[in-house]
Amino acid sequence: MCRNCDYQEMLSSRGLEPTPNRLRVLEILGKQETPLGAQAITAGLRKNSAINRVTVYRILDLLVEKGLVLRLGGTSRGLVFGLAPNENHPAHPHFQCQSCGVLHCLEPLRSQVDLQEIKGSFPGEIREVEVLVSGICANCLRK
């Protein structure tokens, strides 16, 4: 668990009751070095309580809606989730292995993405930017 994050305060600040299951979802995501799929989150929760998959998806949807969790797509294993950027977890790019499909968190960028340049090339409203780098991870290269 991230020692710097106050998950109860994070939930309360977004108008959410800090229920045990919501707290545990944030704790599970906060202690991971890679984003997790809903199945892995559910398995982690089931170690300490009986919870079904539908409840986990509802919690994840709510936490995404409230801006506490990011839903990251594009993996061969489906959607994965991670903590949204906050004072303890800065925005950062991700690396996706083209062989095993695992998504890894990378260190935050030292330079910023120029949103003005991107906005000038797109007529719609840009709400999020996700930097994704792909290639082959070290584990797959060793195989």
Side-chain angles (χ1 to χ4, degrees):
M1 177 170 72
C2 174
R3 298 185 192 286
N4 298 319
C5 288
D6 182 343
Y7 298 116
Q8 283 191 306
E9 175 57 32
M10 289 169 67
L11 289 165
S12 296
S13 72
R14 302 296 168 96
L16 297 174
E17 181 182 340
T19 64
N21 285 334
R22 290 174 185 168
L23 288 167
R24 287 285 296 132
V25 167
L26 289 174
E27 289 169 359
I28 287 170
L29 291 173
K31 69 180 177 182
Q32 299 304 311
E33 293 188 18
T34 62
L36 292 177
Q39 184 175 356
I41 295 167
T42 302
L45 289 167
R46 285 185 176 161
K47 290 178 183 176
N48 298 321
S49 66
I51 188 169
N52 65 50
R53 184 174 43 95
V54 173
T55 301
V56 173
Y57 275 105
R58 286 184 181 145
I59 290 170
L60 288 168
D61 286 343
L62 179 64
L63 296 177
V64 167
E65 176 188 320
K66 295 296 186 175
L68 294 170
V69 168
L70 289 179
R71 181 184 291 123
L72 303 165
T75 72
S76 61
R77 299 178 182 194
L79 295 173
V80 292
F81 301 86
L83 287 182
N86 63 48
E87 63 187 27
N88 299 308
H89 300 275
H92 56 273
H94 293 92
F95 174 88
Q96 182 178 13
C97 180
Q98 294 172 336
S99 180
C100 67
V102 173
L103 198 66
H104 300 270
C105 296
L106 300 175
E107 291 296 317
L109 296 174
R110 292 177 192 248
S111 60
Q112 298 296 314
V113 175
D114 186 354
L115 281 181
Q116 293 308 317
E117 184 178 333
I118 295 171
K119 287 179 182 178
S121 68
F122 182 72
E125 179 181 333
I126 296 172
R127 295 187 176 176
E128 291 180 22
V129 173
E130 181 181 330
V131 177
L132 179 65
V133 179
S134 66
I136 307 297
C137 72
N139 288 336
C140 290
L141 284 173
R142 283 192 287 269
K143 292 179 184 178

